[in-house]
Amino acid sequence: MFDAVVVGGGPGGYVAAIKGAQMGGRIALVEKDRVGGTCLNRGCIPTKALVRTAEVLDLARRGAEFGVQVQGTSLDMMKVTARKDMVVSQLVGGVQLLLKSWGVEVIQGAGRVAGPGRVDVVKADGSTISLDTRTVIIATGSRAVNLPVPGADLQGVLVSEAALDLDHVPPRLAVIGAGVIGIEMACIFRSFGSEVTVLEKLPGILPPVDEEISRRLTALLKRKGIVVQAGVSVEGIGANADGSKRVYGKDQAGNPLQTDCDVAIVSVGRRPDFGGIDLDALGVAYDRKGIKVDEHLMTNVPGIYAVGDVLGRTWLAHVASHEGITAMRNIMGESTSMEYDVIPACVFSSPEIGWVGINEQEARARGLQVKASRFPFSANGRALILGEADGMVKVLADQQGRLVGVHILGPHADDLVHEAAAALKMGATACEMAEMIHSHPTLAEAVGEAFLGVDGSPIHFAKQRR
């Protein structure tokens, strides 16, 4: 008898399994593919490996700015892919070792939840084994949404996961969807040498991002040569005589629009993947967004929990992991709940975006009066040294000075945002954070200057005339 059987070995599932074992439980993890899930094998990690290659390539091209003469820079996609696969394999092996070291029983196969007390596992050879368990955690993840238009199944029209395995750089690339994944793909392949056009149905790119930050990034993308067309409704994809593709659609005014490309990447969102589990038969409540759970991550069926993308809440690996820990702590006798108020998020665009808390449009929707402070990286010594002075830090605070959101566009925004996340988690005010001493010369000084600007003025920024 297991204390818990976790179905799905992604960042929600394998972390839950390890936590349960650390707490003394007998835990089984059922995974039909490789542990690590979409994030490790086909999402976050391989994408960021390509991002790093793009960064190195861009820096090499700019070598002369730093007094370094670099001759004949070129890209070897076979080696790029090999390095990406090596990083993924190394991390998968690391997760496997972690599970083994903590005594988690990993079972290869497709898990089918027969009830709160039993999970059937269909193995690759067709045989089935049954696992008796006190509780079950469903952590089967999500899958990419395909574009529901004619021609979406043409060769050369790829979802983002398949695009990670391209063995060449397409001369012309169309990215359909300007969410996080779409923008990351656009930046990667623009650095690799593709002519990139981004098509987005909404009026602007990156809907979750603060509008001011989004507008600034849009301008920077255009400066890099990426064509950004927002307010475009894609209606179909056709094949040209030379094998290229033509994306058909309409702009906001209803005028016809077409984009020719060699490869189209479709990145229009994800939806929960229940992994073949019959939720109706189990009586587990769900809707089109995902499985319904309470604050302890338990479904309406006692003994069955769910974590990660199957909930349809955030689509973030780090949130899935924390949900896995929270669910397992409840299973093992503690009483704890998830807190979703302070979740850092980032976009590995060029430059990067990192944010935590609410943005200005959310503040307006809630009727909050907020003070905004901005500090540009162009006034930060470290950013100038790096040659990455685009972007800014934007801090939002309520009328009492308490922080409600921090938004960063610029170098290493994905790392810098965690200082802000800690501040929001502790309920700090901008004044309290401004008193924190930041090392010099660092990018973090820009964050400190932005905190200082909420109740006064940044030191390293000229006085602004009213």
Side-chain angles (χ1 to χ4, degrees), residues 74-319:
S74 61
L75 189 72
D76 186 333
M77 276 301 289
M78 296 300 290
K79 289 185 178 179
V80 171
T81 301
R83 181 180 184 276
K84 174 203 63 157
D85 293 343
M86 179 273 293
V87 171
V88 170
S89 295
Q90 184 173 339
L91 289 172
V92 168
V95 173
Q96 291 171 334
L97 287 174
L98 285 171
L99 292 163
K100 183 178 180 180
S101 73
W102 286 105
V104 175
E105 187 170 335
V106 179
I107 301 168
Q108 204 77 26
R112 300 290 182 264
V113 183
R118 198 183 91 208
V119 174
D120 296 330
V121 182
V122 181
K123 304 182 78 83
D125 61 5
S127 62
T128 301
I129 61 172
S130 294
L131 309 175
D132 293 325
T133 180
R134 187 166 57 85
T135 57
V136 175
I137 296 180
I138 299 173
T140 46
S142 63
R143 55 189 170 87
V145 175
N146 207 350
L147 196 64
V149 300
D153 57 350
L154 286 173
Q155 185 177 4
V157 180
L158 312 173
V159 295
S160 57
E161 294 174 9
L164 293 170
D165 291 323
L166 276 171
D167 59 1
H168 68 287
V169 177
R172 298 169 301 171
L173 175 70
V175 178
I176 303 172
V180 173
I181 298 173
I183 292 300
E184 289 179 353
M185 286 290 174
C187 290
I188 289 167
F189 281 97
R190 180 57 188 155
S191 293
F192 285 2
S194 296
E195 294 181 6
V196 178
T197 300
V198 177
L199 305 172
E200 169 57 45
K201 187 174 184 179
L202 296 175
I205 69 171
L206 296 170
V209 173
D210 182 90
E211 288 177 352
E212 182 179 7
I213 297 290
S214 174
R215 288 195 303 270
R216 289 199 175 209
L217 179 63
T218 300
L220 293 172
L221 295 180
K222 291 179 178 179
R223 197 171 79 188
K224 291 176 181 292
I226 296 174
V227 177
V228 179
Q229 296 181 326
V232 173
S233 177
V234 173
E235 298 178 338
I237 305 172
N240 295 323
D242 61 358
S244 63
K245 311 294 176 290
R246 178 165 291 174
V247 181
Y248 297 92
K250 291 181 180 177
D251 63 17
Q252 286 178 305
N255 300 312
L257 180 148
Q258 61 185 39
T259 301
D260 288 323
C261 60
D262 299 287
V263 171
I265 296 177
V266 176
S267 180
V268 292
R270 301 185 67 83
R271 64 163 55 103
D273 184 350
F274 302 136
I277 297 172
D278 191 339
L279 298 178
D280 292 318
L282 292 171
V284 171
Y286 69 98
D287 60 18
R288 63 181 184 84
K289 292 183 179 179
I291 295 175
K292 300 296 184 182
V293 293
D294 63 16
E295 68 273 19
H296 304 296
L297 285 311
M298 189 169 74
T299 69
N300 60 305
V301 178
I304 298 181
Y305 294 72
V307 303
D309 284 3
V310 290
L311 305 183
R313 288 180 173 175
T314 64
W315 315 103
L316 296 171
H318 47 284
V319 175

Side-chain angles (χ1 to χ4, degrees), residues 42-65:
R42 300 174 298 279
C44 318
I45 297 300
T47 302
K48 277 56 182 182
L50 296 186
V51 166
R52 180 55 180 161
T53 296
E55 291 171 345
V56 172
L57 183 59
D58 286 340
L59 191 58
R61 288 171 177 151
R62 296 175 56 202
E65 294 178 28

